[in-house]
PDB file of all heavy atoms in Angstrom:
ATOM      1  N   LEU A 118      -0.138 -13.620  -5.378  1.00 97.00           N
ATOM      2  CA  LEU A 118      -0.783 -13.887  -4.094  1.00 97.00           C
ATOM      3  C   LEU A 118      -0.738 -15.371  -3.767  1.00 97.00           C
ATOM      4  O   LEU A 118      -0.887 -16.217  -4.641  1.00 97.00           O
ATOM      5  CB  LEU A 118      -2.243 -13.441  -4.123  1.00 97.00           C
ATOM      6  CG  LEU A 118      -2.544 -11.964  -4.334  1.00 97.00           C
ATOM      7  CD1 LEU A 118      -4.046 -11.729  -4.270  1.00 97.00           C
ATOM      8  CD2 LEU A 118      -1.827 -11.097  -3.308  1.00 97.00           C
ATOM      9  N   TYR A 119      -0.550 -15.680  -2.480  1.00 97.00           N
ATOM     10  CA  TYR A 119      -0.710 -17.051  -2.018  1.00 97.00           C
ATOM     11  C   TYR A 119      -2.210 -17.329  -1.903  1.00 97.00           C
ATOM     12  O   TYR A 119      -3.024 -16.400  -1.806  1.00 97.00           O
ATOM     13  CB  TYR A 119      -0.017 -17.249  -0.680  1.00 97.00           C
ATOM     14  CG  TYR A 119       1.488 -17.076  -0.739  1.00 97.00           C
ATOM     15  CD1 TYR A 119       2.180 -16.468   0.308  1.00 97.00           C
ATOM     16  CD2 TYR A 119       2.221 -17.513  -1.838  1.00 97.00           C
ATOM     17  CE1 TYR A 119       3.565 -16.305   0.262  1.00 97.00           C
ATOM     18  CE2 TYR A 119       3.599 -17.363  -1.895  1.00 97.00           C
ATOM     19  CZ  TYR A 119       4.267 -16.747  -0.846  1.00 97.00           C
ATOM     20  OH  TYR A 119       5.626 -16.584  -0.907  1.00 97.00           O
ATOM     21  N   THR A 120      -2.567 -18.589  -1.852  1.00 96.00           N
ATOM     22  CA  THR A 120      -3.981 -18.976  -1.830  1.00 96.00           C
ATOM     23  C   THR A 120      -4.736 -18.338  -0.662  1.00 96.00           C
ATOM     24  O   THR A 120      -5.845 -17.815  -0.836  1.00 96.00           O
ATOM     25  CB  THR A 120      -4.119 -20.507  -1.747  1.00 96.00           C
ATOM     26  OG1 THR A 120      -3.459 -21.105  -2.865  1.00 96.00           O
ATOM     27  CG2 THR A 120      -5.585 -20.912  -1.757  1.00 96.00           C
ATOM     28  N   SER A 121      -4.138 -18.346   0.527  1.00 94.00           N
ATOM     29  CA  SER A 121      -4.801 -17.779   1.709  1.00 94.00           C
ATOM     30  C   SER A 121      -5.010 -16.268   1.557  1.00 94.00           C
ATOM     31  O   SER A 121      -6.031 -15.721   1.986  1.00 94.00           O
ATOM     32  CB  SER A 121      -3.973 -18.060   2.967  1.00 94.00           C
ATOM     33  OG  SER A 121      -2.677 -17.505   2.852  1.00 94.00           O
ATOM     34  N   GLU A 122      -4.052 -15.593   0.919  1.00 96.00           N
ATOM     35  CA  GLU A 122      -4.170 -14.149   0.702  1.00 96.00           C
ATOM     36  C   GLU A 122      -5.268 -13.853  -0.317  1.00 96.00           C
ATOM     37  O   GLU A 122      -6.066 -12.931  -0.135  1.00 96.00           O
ATOM     38  CB  GLU A 122      -2.837 -13.586   0.215  1.00 96.00           C
ATOM     39  CG  GLU A 122      -1.714 -13.738   1.224  1.00 96.00           C
ATOM     40  CD  GLU A 122      -0.336 -13.513   0.616  1.00 96.00           C
ATOM     41  OE1 GLU A 122      -0.218 -13.459  -0.622  1.00 96.00           O
ATOM     42  OE2 GLU A 122       0.627 -13.407   1.400  1.00 96.00           O
ATOM     43  N   ALA A 123      -5.301 -14.655  -1.378  1.00 96.00           N
ATOM     44  CA  ALA A 123      -6.320 -14.465  -2.409  1.00 96.00           C
ATOM     45  C   ALA A 123      -7.727 -14.628  -1.828  1.00 96.00           C
ATOM     46  O   ALA A 123      -8.649 -13.889  -2.191  1.00 96.00           O
ATOM     47  CB  ALA A 123      -6.098 -15.461  -3.549  1.00 96.00           C
ATOM     48  N   LYS A 124      -7.883 -15.574  -0.905  1.00 95.00           N
ATOM     49  CA  LYS A 124      -9.187 -15.798  -0.282  1.00 95.00           C
ATOM     50  C   LYS A 124      -9.615 -14.593   0.549  1.00 95.00           C
ATOM     51  O   LYS A 124     -10.796 -14.229   0.571  1.00 95.00           O
ATOM     52  CB  LYS A 124      -9.142 -17.051   0.588  1.00 95.00           C
ATOM     53  CG  LYS A 124      -9.122 -18.362  -0.199  1.00 95.00           C
ATOM     54  CD  LYS A 124      -9.116 -19.571   0.730  1.00 95.00           C
ATOM     55  CE  LYS A 124      -9.144 -20.866  -0.070  1.00 95.00           C
ATOM     56  NZ  LYS A 124      -9.114 -22.063   0.808  1.00 95.00           N
ATOM     57  N   MET A 125      -8.663 -13.983   1.231  1.00 94.00           N
ATOM     58  CA  MET A 125      -8.995 -12.790   2.014  1.00 94.00           C
ATOM     59  C   MET A 125      -9.417 -11.641   1.103  1.00 94.00           C
ATOM     60  O   MET A 125     -10.413 -10.966   1.346  1.00 94.00           O
ATOM     61  CB  MET A 125      -7.804 -12.374   2.878  1.00 94.00           C
ATOM     62  CG  MET A 125      -7.582 -13.256   4.095  1.00 94.00           C
ATOM     63  SD  MET A 125      -6.227 -12.686   5.143  1.00 94.00           S
ATOM     64  CE  MET A 125      -6.852 -11.118   5.742  1.00 94.00           C
ATOM     65  N   PHE A 126      -8.678 -11.431   0.029  1.00 96.00           N
ATOM     66  CA  PHE A 126      -9.007 -10.348  -0.888  1.00 96.00           C
ATOM     67  C   PHE A 126     -10.304 -10.609  -1.637  1.00 96.00           C
ATOM     68  O   PHE A 126     -11.014  -9.665  -2.020  1.00 96.00           O
ATOM     69  CB  PHE A 126      -7.864 -10.134  -1.883  1.00 96.00           C
ATOM     70  CG  PHE A 126      -6.731  -9.310  -1.349  1.00 96.00           C
ATOM     71  CD1 PHE A 126      -5.466  -9.851  -1.210  1.00 96.00           C
ATOM     72  CD2 PHE A 126      -6.925  -7.980  -0.989  1.00 96.00           C
ATOM     73  CE1 PHE A 126      -4.412  -9.092  -0.722  1.00 96.00           C
ATOM     74  CE2 PHE A 126      -5.885  -7.211  -0.504  1.00 96.00           C
ATOM     75  CZ  PHE A 126      -4.621  -7.759  -0.368  1.00 96.00           C
ATOM     76  N   ASP A 127     -10.625 -11.885  -1.862  1.00 97.00           N
ATOM     77  CA  ASP A 127     -11.856 -12.225  -2.582  1.00 97.00           C
ATOM     78  C   ASP A 127     -13.084 -11.632  -1.900  1.00 97.00           C
ATOM     79  O   ASP A 127     -14.085 -11.320  -2.559  1.00 97.00           O
ATOM     80  CB  ASP A 127     -12.023 -13.746  -2.686  1.00 97.00           C
ATOM     81  CG  ASP A 127     -11.191 -14.347  -3.806  1.00 97.00           C
ATOM     82  OD1 ASP A 127     -10.677 -13.574  -4.643  1.00 97.00           O
ATOM     83  OD2 ASP A 127     -11.042 -15.592  -3.833  1.00 97.00           O
ATOM     84  N   LYS A 128     -13.020 -11.453  -0.579  1.00 96.00           N
ATOM     85  CA  LYS A 128     -14.145 -10.912   0.178  1.00 96.00           C
ATOM     86  C   LYS A 128     -14.375  -9.438  -0.136  1.00 96.00           C
ATOM     87  O   LYS A 128     -15.399  -8.874   0.248  1.00 96.00           O
ATOM     88  CB  LYS A 128     -13.911 -11.100   1.673  1.00 96.00           C
ATOM     89  CG  LYS A 128     -13.811 -12.557   2.097  1.00 96.00           C
ATOM     90  CD  LYS A 128     -13.541 -12.698   3.562  1.00 96.00           C
ATOM     91  CE  LYS A 128     -14.705 -12.266   4.410  1.00 96.00           C
ATOM     92  NZ  LYS A 128     -14.497 -12.515   5.861  1.00 96.00           N
ATOM     93  N   ASN A 129     -13.407  -8.819  -0.830  1.00 97.00           N
ATOM     94  CA  ASN A 129     -13.530  -7.404  -1.187  1.00 97.00           C
ATOM     95  C   ASN A 129     -14.088  -7.219  -2.594  1.00 97.00           C
ATOM     96  O   ASN A 129     -14.039  -6.117  -3.141  1.00 97.00           O
ATOM     97  CB  ASN A 129     -12.163  -6.708  -1.091  1.00 97.00           C
ATOM     98  CG  ASN A 129     -11.589  -6.758   0.317  1.00 97.00           C
ATOM     99  OD1 ASN A 129     -12.312  -6.949   1.286  1.00 97.00           O
ATOM    100  ND2 ASN A 129     -10.291  -6.605   0.412  1.00 97.00           N
ATOM    101  N   PHE A 130     -14.610  -8.316  -3.156  1.00 97.00           N
ATOM    102  CA  PHE A 130     -15.184  -8.274  -4.502  1.00 97.00           C
ATOM    103  C   PHE A 130     -16.571  -8.902  -4.490  1.00 97.00           C
ATOM    104  O   PHE A 130     -16.862  -9.766  -3.663  1.00 97.00           O
ATOM    105  CB  PHE A 130     -14.294  -9.032  -5.497  1.00 97.00           C
ATOM    106  CG  PHE A 130     -12.958  -8.379  -5.744  1.00 97.00           C
ATOM    107  CD1 PHE A 130     -11.887  -8.609  -4.879  1.00 97.00           C
ATOM    108  CD2 PHE A 130     -12.772  -7.534  -6.820  1.00 97.00           C
ATOM    109  CE1 PHE A 130     -10.664  -8.007  -5.096  1.00 97.00           C
ATOM    110  CE2 PHE A 130     -11.543  -6.931  -7.054  1.00 97.00           C
ATOM    111  CZ  PHE A 130     -10.474  -7.164  -6.188  1.00 97.00           C
ATOM    112  N   THR A 131     -17.408  -8.486  -5.428  1.00 97.00           N
ATOM    113  CA  THR A 131     -18.732  -9.093  -5.567  1.00 97.00           C
ATOM    114  C   THR A 131     -18.594 -10.444  -6.252  1.00 97.00           C
ATOM    115  O   THR A 131     -17.517 -10.804  -6.737  1.00 97.00           O
ATOM    116  CB  THR A 131     -19.652  -8.192  -6.424  1.00 97.00           C
ATOM    117  OG1 THR A 131     -19.143  -8.160  -7.769  1.00 97.00           O
ATOM    118  CG2 THR A 131     -19.720  -6.777  -5.862  1.00 97.00           C
ATOM    119  N   ALA A 132     -19.687 -11.170  -6.299  1.00 95.00           N
ATOM    120  CA  ALA A 132     -19.689 -12.469  -6.967  1.00 95.00           C
ATOM    121  C   ALA A 132     -19.371 -12.327  -8.455  1.00 95.00           C
ATOM    122  O   ALA A 132     -18.889 -13.267  -9.090  1.00 95.00           O
ATOM    123  CB  ALA A 132     -21.048 -13.142  -6.790  1.00 95.00           C
ATOM    124  N   GLN A 133     -19.611 -11.129  -9.004  1.00 96.00           N
ATOM    125  CA  GLN A 133     -19.330 -10.865 -10.412  1.00 96.00           C
ATOM    126  C   GLN A 133     -17.897 -10.359 -10.627  1.00 96.00           C
ATOM    127  O   GLN A 133     -17.493 -10.045 -11.745  1.00 96.00           O
ATOM    128  CB  GLN A 133     -20.312  -9.827 -10.976  1.00 96.00           C
ATOM    129  CG  GLN A 133     -21.751 -10.311 -11.070  1.00 96.00           C
ATOM    130  CD  GLN A 133     -22.425 -10.413  -9.703  1.00 96.00           C
ATOM    131  OE1 GLN A 133     -22.198  -9.571  -8.824  1.00 96.00           O
ATOM    132  NE2 GLN A 133     -23.238 -11.450  -9.526  1.00 96.00           N
ATOM    133  N   GLY A 134     -17.130 -10.269  -9.523  1.00 96.00           N
ATOM    134  CA  GLY A 134     -15.743  -9.841  -9.632  1.00 96.00           C
ATOM    135  C   GLY A 134     -15.522  -8.348  -9.591  1.00 96.00           C
ATOM    136  O   GLY A 134     -14.408  -7.862  -9.837  1.00 96.00           O
ATOM    137  N   GLU A 135     -16.564  -7.590  -9.253  1.00 97.00           N
ATOM    138  CA  GLU A 135     -16.433  -6.139  -9.165  1.00 97.00           C
ATOM    139  C   GLU A 135     -15.930  -5.753  -7.760  1.00 97.00           C
ATOM    140  O   GLU A 135     -16.354  -6.344  -6.758  1.00 97.00           O
ATOM    141  CB  GLU A 135     -17.776  -5.455  -9.421  1.00 97.00           C
ATOM    142  CG  GLU A 135     -18.318  -5.659 -10.831  1.00 97.00           C
ATOM    143  CD  GLU A 135     -17.388  -5.068 -11.875  1.00 97.00           C
ATOM    144  OE1 GLU A 135     -16.835  -3.972 -11.642  1.00 97.00           O
ATOM    145  OE2 GLU A 135     -17.205  -5.722 -12.920  1.00 97.00           O
ATOM    146  N   PRO A 136     -15.035  -4.758  -7.662  1.00 97.00           N
ATOM    147  CA  PRO A 136     -14.521  -4.357  -6.345  1.00 97.00           C
ATOM    148  C   PRO A 136     -15.600  -3.738  -5.465  1.00 97.00           C
ATOM    149  O   PRO A 136     -16.463  -3.008  -5.951  1.00 97.00           O
ATOM    150  CB  PRO A 136     -13.424  -3.339  -6.689  1.00 97.00           C
ATOM    151  CG  PRO A 136     -13.785  -2.827  -8.038  1.00 97.00           C
ATOM    152  CD  PRO A 136     -14.412  -3.986  -8.756  1.00 97.00           C
ATOM    153  N   LYS A 137     -15.569  -4.079  -4.184  1.00 97.00           N
ATOM    154  CA  LYS A 137     -16.475  -3.490  -3.200  1.00 97.00           C
ATOM    155  C   LYS A 137     -15.681  -2.524  -2.318  1.00 97.00           C
ATOM    156  O   LYS A 137     -14.482  -2.691  -2.119  1.00 97.00           O
ATOM    157  CB  LYS A 137     -17.076  -4.574  -2.301  1.00 97.00           C
ATOM    158  CG  LYS A 137     -17.967  -5.565  -2.997  1.00 97.00           C
ATOM    159  CD  LYS A 137     -18.723  -6.431  -1.981  1.00 97.00           C
ATOM    160  CE  LYS A 137     -17.798  -7.281  -1.138  1.00 97.00           C
ATOM    161  NZ  LYS A 137     -18.530  -8.206  -0.234  1.00 97.00           N
ATOM    162  N   LEU A 138     -16.372  -1.533  -1.781  1.00 98.00           N
ATOM    163  CA  LEU A 138     -15.767  -0.639  -0.808  1.00 98.00           C
ATOM    164  C   LEU A 138     -16.029  -1.222   0.572  1.00 98.00           C
ATOM    165  O   LEU A 138     -17.183  -1.415   0.967  1.00 98.00           O
ATOM    166  CB  LEU A 138     -16.358   0.767  -0.913  1.00 98.00           C
ATOM    167  CG  LEU A 138     -15.711   1.832  -0.025  1.00 98.00           C
ATOM    168  CD1 LEU A 138     -14.245   2.041  -0.398  1.00 98.00           C
ATOM    169  CD2 LEU A 138     -16.470   3.149  -0.129  1.00 98.00           C
ATOM    170  N   VAL A 139     -14.960  -1.550   1.285  1.00 98.00           N
ATOM    171  CA  VAL A 139     -15.056  -2.223   2.575  1.00 98.00           C
ATOM    172  C   VAL A 139     -14.290  -1.422   3.620  1.00 98.00           C
ATOM    173  O   VAL A 139     -13.202  -0.909   3.342  1.00 98.00           O
ATOM    174  CB  VAL A 139     -14.460  -3.648   2.477  1.00 98.00           C
ATOM    175  CG1 VAL A 139     -14.390  -4.303   3.845  1.00 98.00           C
ATOM    176  CG2 VAL A 139     -15.265  -4.508   1.510  1.00 98.00           C
ATOM    177  N   MET A 140     -14.866  -1.298   4.803  1.00 98.00           N
ATOM    178  CA  MET A 140     -14.188  -0.555   5.861  1.00 98.00           C
ATOM    179  C   MET A 140     -14.152  -1.359   7.162  1.00 98.00           C
ATOM    180  O   MET A 140     -15.192  -1.761   7.686  1.00 98.00           O
ATOM    181  CB  MET A 140     -14.879   0.788   6.135  1.00 98.00           C
ATOM    182  CG  MET A 140     -14.114   1.664   7.130  1.00 98.00           C
ATOM    183  SD  MET A 140     -15.041   3.127   7.696  1.00 98.00           S
ATOM    184  CE  MET A 140     -15.584   3.840   6.148  1.00 98.00           C
ATOM    185  N   TYR A 141     -12.949  -1.596   7.674  1.00 98.00           N
ATOM    186  CA  TYR A 141     -12.777  -2.208   8.989  1.00 98.00           C
ATOM    187  C   TYR A 141     -12.809  -1.091  10.026  1.00 98.00           C
ATOM    188  O   TYR A 141     -12.040  -0.124   9.939  1.00 98.00           O
ATOM    189  CB  TYR A 141     -11.446  -2.961   9.067  1.00 98.00           C
ATOM    190  CG  TYR A 141     -11.410  -4.231   8.258  1.00 98.00           C
ATOM    191  CD1 TYR A 141     -11.081  -4.204   6.905  1.00 98.00           C
ATOM    192  CD2 TYR A 141     -11.711  -5.468   8.839  1.00 98.00           C
ATOM    193  CE1 TYR A 141     -11.053  -5.366   6.148  1.00 98.00           C
ATOM    194  CE2 TYR A 141     -11.683  -6.640   8.085  1.00 98.00           C
ATOM    195  CZ  TYR A 141     -11.352  -6.574   6.737  1.00 98.00           C
ATOM    196  OH  TYR A 141     -11.329  -7.737   5.999  1.00 98.00           O
ATOM    197  N   THR A 142     -13.695  -1.227  11.003  1.00 98.00           N
ATOM    198  CA  THR A 142     -13.868  -0.195  12.020  1.00 98.00           C
ATOM    199  C   THR A 142     -13.735  -0.795  13.422  1.00 98.00           C
ATOM    200  O   THR A 142     -13.594  -2.005  13.591  1.00 98.00           O
ATOM    201  CB  THR A 142     -15.247   0.469  11.889  1.00 98.00           C
ATOM    202  OG1 THR A 142     -16.273  -0.519  12.175  1.00 98.00           O
ATOM    203  CG2 THR A 142     -15.455   1.038  10.499  1.00 98.00           C
ATOM    204  N   MET A 143     -13.805   0.083  14.410  1.00 97.00           N
ATOM    205  CA  MET A 143     -13.763  -0.343  15.807  1.00 97.00           C
ATOM    206  C   MET A 143     -14.582   0.644  16.620  1.00 97.00           C
ATOM    207  O   MET A 143     -14.562   1.851  16.352  1.00 97.00           O
ATOM    208  CB  MET A 143     -12.312  -0.363  16.304  1.00 97.00           C
ATOM    209  CG  MET A 143     -12.151  -0.779  17.763  1.00 97.00           C
ATOM    210  SD  MET A 143     -10.386  -0.849  18.238  1.00 97.00           S
ATOM    211  CE  MET A 143      -9.932   0.885  18.101  1.00 97.00           C
ATOM    212  N   ASP A 144     -15.316   0.165  17.595  1.00 97.00           N
ATOM    213  CA  ASP A 144     -16.100   1.043  18.451  1.00 97.00           C
ATOM    214  C   ASP A 144     -15.197   2.063  19.131  1.00 97.00           C
ATOM    215  O   ASP A 144     -14.101   1.725  19.603  1.00 97.00           O
ATOM    216  CB  ASP A 144     -16.834   0.231  19.532  1.00 97.00           C
ATOM    217  CG  ASP A 144     -17.949  -0.632  18.960  1.00 97.00           C
ATOM    218  OD1 ASP A 144     -18.324  -0.413  17.795  1.00 97.00           O
ATOM    219  OD2 ASP A 144     -18.429  -1.533  19.688  1.00 97.00           O
ATOM    220  N   GLY A 145     -15.644   3.308  19.153  1.00 97.00           N
ATOM    221  CA  GLY A 145     -14.874   4.356  19.805  1.00 97.00           C
ATOM    222  C   GLY A 145     -13.787   4.976  18.943  1.00 97.00           C
ATOM    223  O   GLY A 145     -13.029   5.827  19.413  1.00 97.00           O
ATOM    224  N   CYS A 146     -13.712   4.566  17.698  1.00 97.00           N
ATOM    225  CA  CYS A 146     -12.697   5.085  16.764  1.00 97.00           C
ATOM    226  C   CYS A 146     -13.241   6.344  16.096  1.00 97.00           C
ATOM    227  O   CYS A 146     -14.149   6.273  15.260  1.00 97.00           O
ATOM    228  CB  CYS A 146     -12.349   4.029  15.728  1.00 97.00           C
ATOM    229  SG  CYS A 146     -11.376   4.636  14.336  1.00 97.00           S
ATOM    230  N   GLY A 147     -12.693   7.499  16.466  1.00 97.00           N
ATOM    231  CA  GLY A 147     -13.166   8.771  15.930  1.00 97.00           C
ATOM    232  C   GLY A 147     -12.989   8.902  14.426  1.00 97.00           C
ATOM    233  O   GLY A 147     -13.868   9.422  13.724  1.00 97.00           O
ATOM    234  N   TYR A 148     -11.857   8.422  13.918  1.00 97.00           N
ATOM    235  CA  TYR A 148     -11.622   8.498  12.482  1.00 97.00           C
ATOM    236  C   TYR A 148     -12.587   7.591  11.727  1.00 97.00           C
ATOM    237  O   TYR A 148     -13.004   7.900  10.604  1.00 97.00           O
ATOM    238  CB  TYR A 148     -10.177   8.115  12.155  1.00 97.00           C
ATOM    239  CG  TYR A 148      -9.181   9.185  12.514  1.00 97.00           C
ATOM    240  CD1 TYR A 148      -8.306   9.031  13.585  1.00 97.00           C
ATOM    241  CD2 TYR A 148      -9.129  10.378  11.789  1.00 97.00           C
ATOM    242  CE1 TYR A 148      -7.394  10.010  13.916  1.00 97.00           C
ATOM    243  CE2 TYR A 148      -8.220  11.376  12.113  1.00 97.00           C
ATOM    244  CZ  TYR A 148      -7.351  11.191  13.180  1.00 97.00           C
ATOM    245  OH  TYR A 148      -6.460  12.173  13.505  1.00 97.00           O
ATOM    246  N   CYS A 149     -12.953   6.469  12.348  1.00 98.00           N
ATOM    247  CA  CYS A 149     -13.936   5.570  11.728  1.00 98.00           C
ATOM    248  C   CYS A 149     -15.280   6.280  11.609  1.00 98.00           C
ATOM    249  O   CYS A 149     -15.939   6.237  10.557  1.00 98.00           O
ATOM    250  CB  CYS A 149     -14.106   4.302  12.559  1.00 98.00           C
ATOM    251  SG  CYS A 149     -12.613   3.308  12.756  1.00 98.00           S
TER     252      CYS A 149
END
Side-chain angles (χ1 to χ4, degrees):
L118 297 182
Y119 296 143
T120 302
S121 59
E122 297 165 348
K124 286 182 178 179
M125 285 183 66
F126 279 117
D127 279 348
K128 298 178 68 175
N129 299 339
F130 293 84
T131 67
Q133 292 73 38
E135 295 298 320
K137 295 191 297 185
L138 185 63
V139 173
M140 186 190 310
Y141 289 85
T142 65
M143 179 177 66
D144 291 346
C146 168
Y148 285 109
C149 299

